[in-house]
Amino acid sequence: MLGKIVLFSACACVIATAPAAPHVPASGAQVLERLPGGLDPARRELQTLRTALGADPHNLDLATRLAQRYIEQSRRDGDPRYLGYAQAALAPWWTQPQPPSPVLVLRATLRQSTHQFAPALTDLETVLKRDSGNSQAWLTRATVQLITGDFAGARSSCMRLYSRAPELVVQACLSSVGSISGQAAPSYERLRQTYAARADSSPMLRAWVATLLGEMAARLGRLDAAESHFREALALDPADSYLLGAYADFLLDRGRPAEVVTLLKDKTAADALLLRYAIALKDARRPDASRASAELAARFDAAMRRRDSVHQREQARFELVLRGDTAAAVRLAKLNWAVQKEPADLRILAQAAAASGDPEARAIVRNWLNTSAIEDATLAATTALLGNKA
């Protein structure tokens, strides 16, 4: 999938999937977090920018640079608090009817990350009316369109990146659309060849593309290739939370939960990673499985009290795999599907439909398989079961 991607300084970054509702500080004077010491360049840069913006809160350049860095950090850590910090950095312009274009692009990115897709598209349309050459706006627009199932629109937005973004970014955008809309094999091959030819790209960009290649190969049933891509991505960026989740899913599908436990045991601050860790503990019959599941339940309960519905895909998987509540799982999966339509959304909907026997969910899945022409070997057993129940 294209994922939730941001192009900053010609570098593509995937924002973590399904973040919680971000915390927005009451004022710019509020202490957000005590960053650990040490020599981590990203955290040092955050601290430097935050100090500078605190002294000059209406400095647009400082604010947008800090917001960009917060978004990147949220993606890497899977920590939604950074999205709230990004919004707080943009506070002087956030509610303006016509803020500067850099603020609009970042506001659209943050809205997209919390599933406010229509307002995000509105912000992007405003930017593109002002400047039709804004590559970040086109890429973010393609992301939103792909997530919501508008493949034609996403493909058109990707095409507008030609001559405006690096070749590898353009091909990743196009291949992400083609890989789930009837062109899986050629899309994978084109991206693989471009990736091989652009070895001079930044490590972060290459890690993102290697992750996409791993997901594409897995859907094609090319398991050895998928594992190779995931391992290369981890070598390039071992802390990326989206990548960790994608590789954990691959390992769980292969019946290798012990490896997932090792991979994620120190990385469960992100809800999506705790979910996979808890599933791995259960599959591996570890004694601490119930404790991890209980912690995850508490997080979902807290999100529901906040009326945060962004976690519905993960919560549906939690209900199905860890609690065995098929009715709750299919209800959440259908609610999630009404908002976003990525392969992972289709997968949990199909699994919940098969487990619950819900006729509406089964019909939604079969219709999407027919209209989208998606090719996904990981769904084969589930969709066969749906066919038998039809």
Side-chain angles (χ1 to χ4, degrees):
M1 70 175 198
L2 186 58
K4 297 172 174 63
I5 55 179
V6 183
L7 179 66
F8 294 135
S9 303
C11 173
C13 308
V14 184
I15 298 177
T17 307
H23 164 70
V24 180
S27 75
Q30 181 178 342
V31 176
L32 303 176
E33 181 182 14
R34 298 294 184 187
L35 293 177
L39 300 177
D40 182 343
R43 293 187 183 277
R44 282 191 303 176
E45 183 183 13
L46 277 176
Q47 201 162 25
T48 299
L49 286 170
R50 191 160 62 193
T51 299
L53 185 63
D56 188 7
H58 288 82
N59 186 313
L60 179 63
D61 179 63
L62 280 174
T64 54
R65 284 168 57 200
L66 179 58
Q68 289 170 0
R69 297 300 179 266
Y70 275 140
I71 290 170
E72 292 167 7
Q73 198 68 35
S74 176
R75 177 200 58 91
R76 287 185 55 79
D77 294 355
D79 188 341
R81 292 178 301 170
Y82 286 109
L83 301 180
Y85 305 162
Q87 181 174 334
L90 302 174
W93 307 273
W94 187 265
T95 59
Q96 290 181 3
Q98 290 291 325
S101 290
V103 173
L104 276 173
V105 173
L106 289 165
R107 190 170 74 179
T109 300
L110 291 165
R111 285 175 164 174
Q112 166 246 309
S113 72
T114 52
H115 295 183
Q116 300 176 67
F117 297 127
L121 286 173
T122 298
D123 282 346
L124 295 169
E125 292 298 330
T126 300
V127 173
L128 293 169
K129 285 178 182 176
R130 296 176 182 174
D131 175 17
S132 63
N134 190 308
S135 59
Q136 179 61 64
W138 285 117
L139 185 60
T140 307
R141 187 172 184 259
T143 300
V144 175
Q145 291 166 324
L146 186 59
I147 292 169
T148 55
D150 179 6
F151 298 146
R155 189 174 293 107
S156 176
S157 294
C158 291
M159 293 292 290
R160 298 299 294 265
L161 291 171
Y162 274 112
S163 77
R164 297 183 173 116
E167 178 188 11
L168 188 53
V169 172
V170 178
Q171 190 56 59
C173 190
L174 288 167
S175 290
S176 294
V177 181
S179 72
I180 58 173
S181 58
Q183 295 292 319
S187 294
Y188 167 77
E189 190 57 32
R190 282 192 292 268
L191 184 57
R192 189 192 64 79
Q193 291 176 359
T194 306
Y195 177 79
R198 301 306 310 178
D200 57 341
S201 300
S202 72
M204 189 177 293
L205 175 53
R206 287 181 62 79
W208 168 55
V209 175
T211 303
L212 294 180
L213 286 168
E215 292 180 308
M216 292 178 192
R219 289 197 297 270
L220 284 166
R222 303 179 186 181
L223 304 184
D224 289 345
E227 177 124 27
S228 177
H229 291 311
F230 282 132
R231 287 186 176 276
E232 181 170 3
L234 284 168
L236 290 163
D237 194 358
D240 183 278
S241 62
Y242 180 87
L243 166 58
L244 290 167
Y247 186 47
D249 284 342
F250 176 82
L251 294 173
L252 289 170
D253 286 345
R254 308 280 77 75
R256 296 156 61 182
E259 294 176 58
V260 176
V261 172
T262 301
L263 181 71
L264 301 182
K265 63 181 179 180
D266 299 320
K267 302 177 178 68
T268 57
D271 294 352
L273 297 186
L274 177 59
L275 170 65
R276 289 155 174 85
Y277 181 68
I279 292 171
L281 289 173
K282 179 184 177 184
D283 289 353
R285 302 182 184 277
R286 297 289 183 90
D288 48 347
S290 59
R291 181 164 53 86
S293 183
E295 181 182 348
L296 192 58
R299 294 190 193 182
F300 285 137
D301 288 344
M304 291 175 68
R305 287 195 297 273
R306 295 193 304 267
R307 297 183 180 181
D308 171 12
S309 62
V310 177
H311 279 93
Q312 285 172 336
R313 179 171 73 200
E314 281 70 26
Q315 192 171 0
R317 189 172 175 185
F318 167 74
E319 295 290 351
L320 182 64
V321 179
L322 294 175
R323 277 186 169 167
D325 189 337
T326 60
V330 77
R331 177 181 61 81
L332 288 162
K334 287 192 291 185
L335 289 171
N336 175 68
W337 184 257
V339 178
Q340 59 177 23
K341 297 174 173 61
E342 296 181 278
D345 304 302
L346 179 64
R347 182 173 182 178
I348 185 58
L349 180 61
Q351 292 171 337
S356 67
D358 185 285
E360 181 186 23
R362 294 206 311 270
I364 292 171
V365 172
R366 288 196 300 268
N367 180 64
W368 189 258
L369 290 171
N370 291 332
T371 57
S372 70
I374 186 173
E375 304 158 71
D376 192 343
T378 67
L379 278 176
T382 303
T383 54
L385 184 58
L386 290 174
N388 291 336
K389 287 189 175 184

